[in-house]
Amino acid sequence: MFRPTASDIATGLITGIHARSAPTPTTPDRPDPLTALERAVLPALQRQPCAVSFSGGLDSSLVLAVAARVARRVGLPDPVPVTWRFTDAPGAEESTRQDQVIRALGLRSQWQILRAHDDLDLVGPIATRLLHRHGVLYPANLHLHLPILDLAAEGSLLTGFGGDQVLSGWRPPLPRRLRSGVARFRRAVGMARRQQVSTTLNWLQPPVARHLRRELHALRRSEPFRLGDRIDWHLRRREVRISRDAFAAVAADHRVALTQPLLDAGFLQALTAHCGHRRNATRFDLLAEIARDALPTVVTAPRGKARFNEVFLREPTMRFIRQWPGTDVDPDIIDVPALRSLWSRGAVVPRQSLLIQQLWLAANPPPVPSVPAGSTTTPDRGSPHERTADHPPGGPGSGRLATDWPGDRRAGHRRRGLLRTRPLRCAALGTPGDRYAGE
């Protein structure tokens, strides 16, 4: 499994592009994107229970709608949408859209709703369960899927992961009348952008912040314009590969078959064949072409993007950062006085999420399994099959972040420990639980 490096954790930025691999063999037929997406979800539907991580956003709504359509066509049980609802997090409020999609798809009786207050905090009870079991993984909010995986144990899980990369990308389409002035606009705001990025990395040492700023700007400028090239480019990004690896490992630990249909090779081939030549295609245009009027309009209707900072940065995180003594970091990467000053005021940004989790893990390491007297067995320290190319010193369970910046030859202490814990079990599928209390 690829893991974030020490610099990834300290900076909250995962840059870099993997080299192109051998092209995936194309299928003899040329299905349209919707047909290819239906084929991608079918294996998950055949492994029951089949849960769908459903937030009400465009990507999860599309996956849920396609899964329900296929299940009914072939006579399989409906997929089970599982949704989080949050208290005191207005930016993450999507209940109205969720209700509309579920009603349009006729899935009210299957719908499972989970509710959270501080439960999903970066160092809350669910996140720390994952940290003690797997160490620090990317993305930092991966733990929100643990209760969903518990519900789907021995079955399958469908998610909408990949939509932000495949269907959206980073380059927002510009109105035609503005494109001629793009160069002038970029020159005018260039200095402001550099200052903004520098400010958002103000817990790092200045040379590190400058290095990251250059890498981030170069990465964003390298995103292709054509859809087909953009899809290939995003799939080769380290950030995407690390995320996919982590999610797959956690799902396998729950004996759940994870399927991410929007990253399925067959779907991506079909989407590229039909739309790959297009430039500046909007997410809504692509979704309309995929749906082809075969799905309810509410599924692909334009909507805003929810914001989840209020879900993950709550009282447990605030309490921890205020009490942080300034230890267990590499001072060549982290400006310790600056970070302590920020955190003492409760000033925390999402890019610090991995760093917060790493520091919490250093302060609260998992207990080392005891060895019976006279035994020659070595306690389990982790799977020997974990990849280490993206896992230098400072990995899961380490007490210190070791730098991997060019020119720094110091090696940090590496200590890995996995706690074999019994998974938390949610209410079994098929029980009322906290379902939608609708018709």
Side-chain angles (χ1 to χ4, degrees):
M1 175 172 62
F2 284 131
R3 291 183 179 272
T5 66
S7 58
D8 296 334
I9 292 172
T11 64
L13 294 171
I14 299 181
T15 58
I17 301 285
H18 289 276
R20 292 181 185 273
S21 57
T24 304
T26 58
T27 56
D29 59 341
R30 287 293 187 91
D32 60 82
L34 180 59
T35 300
L37 199 57
E38 291 175 341
R39 293 177 182 177
V41 303
L42 181 57
L45 291 166
Q46 293 171 329
R47 178 166 171 166
Q48 294 291 322
C50 176
V52 180
S53 181
F54 171 64
S55 68
L58 284 167
D59 304 329
S60 64
S61 296
L62 174 64
V63 170
L64 179 61
V66 172
R69 171 184 169 91
V70 174
R72 291 163 185 171
R73 180 196 300 153
V74 301
L76 291 170
D78 281 335
V80 179
V82 186
T83 302
W84 278 105
R85 292 276 176 88
F86 314 106
T87 59
D88 302 325
E93 171 59 38
E94 294 184 285
S95 59
T96 300
R97 182 67 66 179
Q98 293 163 359
D99 294 338
Q100 292 172 345
V101 172
I102 291 295
R103 186 183 305 113
L105 298 179
L107 293 172
R108 286 191 175 187
S109 62
Q110 290 80 18
W111 196 10
Q112 298 280 325
I113 298 179
L114 309 177
R115 300 187 184 275
H117 182 62
D118 287 347
D119 311 70
L120 295 178
D121 183 89
L122 289 175
V123 294
I126 298 176
T128 55
R129 172 186 155 204
L130 182 142
L131 290 171
H132 276 170
R133 174 100 174 146
H134 296 281
V136 177
L137 300 179
Y138 183 87
N141 62 5
L142 183 60
H143 60 277
L144 74 87
H145 281 96
L146 288 187
I148 302 176
L149 289 166
D150 288 332
L151 287 171
E154 307 291 349
S156 61
L157 175 64
L158 291 165
T159 82
F161 177 75
D164 286 340
Q165 294 77 29
V166 172
L167 301 177
S168 180
W170 288 339
R171 295 185 184 274
L174 294 175
R176 186 178 300 275
R177 65 181 180 276
L178 295 180
R179 291 174 190 167
S180 61
V182 167
R184 293 193 301 274
F185 174 77
R186 285 178 174 170
R187 285 194 296 270
V189 303
M191 182 61 70
R193 287 184 62 190
R194 286 192 292 272
Q195 291 174 348
Q196 180 183 16
V197 173
S198 178
T199 300
T200 58
L201 298 176
N202 57 0
W203 69 94
L204 303 176
Q205 294 292 354
V208 176
R210 287 194 295 269
H211 175 83
L212 261 295
R213 184 171 63 246
R214 287 192 298 268
E215 281 204 352
L216 180 60
H217 288 167
L219 184 68
R220 290 186 176 274
R221 286 195 302 269
S222 67
E223 183 187 32
F225 284 93
R226 290 179 67 254
L227 177 63
D229 296 334
R230 188 179 80 195
I231 290 174
D232 172 75
W233 184 85
H234 274 290
L235 293 180
R236 291 187 290 111
R237 287 174 51 216
R238 282 186 61 242
E239 180 181 9
V240 173
R241 292 199 176 181
I242 289 175
S243 300
R244 295 179 70 176
D245 259 19
F247 208 155
V250 174
D253 195 42
H254 284 71
R255 304 176 305 282
V256 172
L258 175 67
T259 301
Q260 296 164 333
L262 298 181
L263 295 178
D264 176 76
F267 168 68
L268 296 178
Q269 287 177 6
L271 185 62
T272 300
H274 284 75
C275 309
H277 63 283
R278 297 184 55 180
R279 298 165 62 92
N280 295 313
T282 69
R283 193 189 203 117
F284 305 116
D285 290 341
L286 291 174
L287 286 171
E289 292 190 30
I290 293 170
R292 293 188 295 109
D293 298 324
L295 304 176
T297 55
V298 68
V299 171
T300 57
R303 65 200 70 175
K305 193 81 170 172
R307 296 291 179 264
F308 295 95
N309 294 350
E310 300 160 319
V311 174
F312 303 114
L313 301 174
R314 298 177 74 105
E315 181 55 31
T317 289
M318 296 304 171
R319 183 168 56 249
F320 174 76
I321 64 173
R322 291 191 186 101
Q323 298 172 353
W324 177 57
T327 58
D328 299 316
V329 299
D330 190 322
D332 287 344
I333 299 179
I334 302 294
D335 185 336
V336 176
L339 185 57
R340 290 196 68 187
S341 175
L342 290 169
W343 282 0
S344 67
R345 305 193 305 270
V348 59
V349 295
R351 281 180 178 166
Q352 297 167 346
S353 298
L354 294 177
L355 177 60
I356 291 169
Q357 291 181 331
Q358 177 71 29
L359 292 174
W360 183 94
L361 189 58
N364 302 273
V368 178
S370 60
V371 180
S375 172
T376 59
T377 304
T378 301
D380 182 14
R381 294 286 185 175
S383 169
H385 303 294
E386 290 185 355
R387 306 181 202 175
T388 57
D390 281 331
H391 187 189
S398 70
R400 186 173 185 273
L401 285 174
T403 183
D404 60 352
W405 292 100
D408 195 320
R409 299 181 179 178
R410 295 177 304 156
H413 176 61
R414 175 169 167 172
R415 176 170 56 85
R416 295 188 298 174
L418 300 183
L419 176 63
R420 303 299 182 188
T421 58
R422 183 177 180 180
L424 170 69
R425 291 293 173 189
C426 296
L429 290 175
T431 61
D434 193 10
R435 287 182 186 163
Y436 182 91
E439 59 189 21

